[in-house]
Amino acid sequence: MPVNYRGRWGGKVAIAAFVASLIIFSPALLPSQATPPQSSLPAPAATPPQNLPLLQVYPLPPQLERWQDSEQQGDYFDAIKPTAVGYLIWSSFPIKVYIEPPNDPADRRFQGWFKAVETAVTEWNQYLPLERVAEREVADIICLRSRPPLRATLNRQTRTFEFPTARNAEASYKLYWRGNNPSTLVHRFTLEISPNQTDAFTLATARHELGHALGIWGHSPDPADALYDTQVNNPPPISARDINTLKKIYQQQTRLGGSL
Ligand SMILES: [Zn+2]
């Protein structure tokens, strides 16, 4: 049974290298340099569906339980908003991750993309148990090498479509029921990560989008964090503040993983 909730979060770009590649592919799709910070969540449905599992709190996964930030660098938990089913928390481990593989082993650009995404998965695996799977069908998080769709808005005055932001990635999730008697409410993420970046920026993008998929459904206001909402010239690694935030998220309530 499908659940009619979805969420989306597009990655944004503010770097010259990506602007250049966009010019090559489509002059009409230039990103706005003055893109406002993305501060609102996808609108939840007005009325929560009936008969959802109860909200519950799960035990912290061991790596997060052990995590201590000795320098107490704080977090940006205030920027993370729960969805209609609570926080986007995984409770069944390891989390299964599929990365789209190159069809042609000689495709070096695709190989570079693949290795960059693989590296990002390895980085997050220090904090939450992740497992690479070869079958897309069984994955919890699906990483695809594709340009995310550009969503046009109609300017009513000029009667033209505008593309307010160009994106190097998009994270989206769907909810569904798994099994019968009981049925468990689960989520699945799809990450569309552009093929048109250098490997270093693919790594930064994958690191950021995986953060969303692992539960950080919001953005940091600090450019030193991986979940800052705009790509920076020297992308930071996963920061203590990212993990402090992740740890707080995993202490919150969710309906995900609950059964009826
Ligand atoms: Zn983001």
Side-chain angles (χ1 to χ4, degrees), residues 9-11 208-209 212 219:
W9 216 316
H208 177 106
E209 300 303 325
H212 285 323
H219 285 117

Side-chain angles (χ1 to χ4, degrees), residues 9-12 38 169 171 208-209 212 216-219 226-230:
W9 216 316
K12 293 189 294 182
Q38 206 160 1
H208 177 106
E209 300 303 325
H212 285 323
I216 308 178
W217 196 240
H219 285 117
L227 271 288
Y228 183 58
D229 79 341
T230 303

Side-chain angles (χ1 to χ4, degrees), residues 96-98 133-141 176 178 188:
K96 299 185 183 71
V97 182
Y98 169 85
V133 293
E135 302 84 31
R136 176 174 170 164
E137 293 70 29
V138 303
D140 300 310
I141 300 173
Y176 58 100
R178 181 180 286 160
R188 171 183 276 176

Side-chain angles (χ1 to χ4, degrees), residues 145-161:
R145 185 177 185 259
S146 63
R147 290 180 67 191
L150 285 163
R151 299 183 197 287
T153 54
L154 179 65
N155 182 323
R156 293 183 185 279
Q157 289 181 334
T158 61
R159 302 186 65 80
T160 55
F161 283 101

